[in-house]
Amino acid sequence: MANGEIEAHRQGRNPLVSGIEKLEGGKTIGEIWNERQALAGQTVTFRGEVVKRPPPRIMGRNWIHLRDGTTGEGDIGELTVTTSASPEVGSTILVSGTVFIDRDFGYGYRYDLLIEDASITIE
């Protein structure tokens, strides 16, 4: 999540999501935020609802924003994922991808936590 998105979440401008069941053997978004240092470089799987999908193919990939109703430290409950898939906003999806922390792509694209090159299954 970019720094501006963190502030938007704290100010309550991001959509609330509930009723997303934790994937058996997977993580919640809150757990991924809390464990991000230990998870860096590892593959995680989780379930979430697509709450935002910017225009496709920014920097050669799709960037989707997910929530599952859980929050991590700092009350952050949204996670950004890069993928070649293009799920619709409102879709519940299963995600498997690699955890990266402190990613700075320049031009305002800075992420404290990012799941990259994710494979996605739409439920």
Side-chain angles (χ1 to χ4, degrees):
M1 180 180 311
N3 289 335
E5 291 175 271
I6 292 170
E7 187 57 31
H9 171 71
R10 289 184 180 143
Q11 293 177 10
R13 294 192 311 251
N14 289 332
L16 296 177
V17 171
S18 64
I20 304 294
E21 292 184 29
K22 182 178 177 179
L23 182 64
E24 187 175 328
K27 300 278 187 188
T28 66
I29 289 174
E31 290 171 339
I32 295 168
W33 270 104
N34 289 341
E35 301 169 22
R36 66 187 177 278
Q37 297 293 332
L39 292 172
Q42 296 183 36
T43 299
V44 294
T45 56
F46 64 99
R47 175 181 281 127
E49 181 179 317
V50 179
V51 295
K52 181 179 176 185
R53 189 187 73 184
R57 310 306 291 174
I58 296 171
M59 293 191 297
R61 54 187 110 183
N62 294 326
W63 301 71
I64 58 174
H65 302 252
L66 300 165
R67 289 178 171 256
D68 66 2
T70 65
T71 58
E73 64 183 52
D75 200 31
I76 300 171
E78 188 169 301
L79 190 51
T80 303
V81 173
T82 67
T83 182
S84 60
S86 189
E88 296 294 323
V89 170
S91 300
T92 299
I93 62 174
L94 303 178
V95 178
S96 180
T98 305
V99 175
F100 287 89
I101 57 173
D102 301 322
R103 297 284 278 166
D104 189 346
F105 296 95
Y107 304 101
Y109 289 96
R110 186 189 174 289
Y111 296 85
D112 294 328
L113 172 62
L114 182 66
I115 308 299
E116 290 198 65
D117 300 319
S119 61
I120 289 176
T121 303
I122 299 171
E123 292 194 307

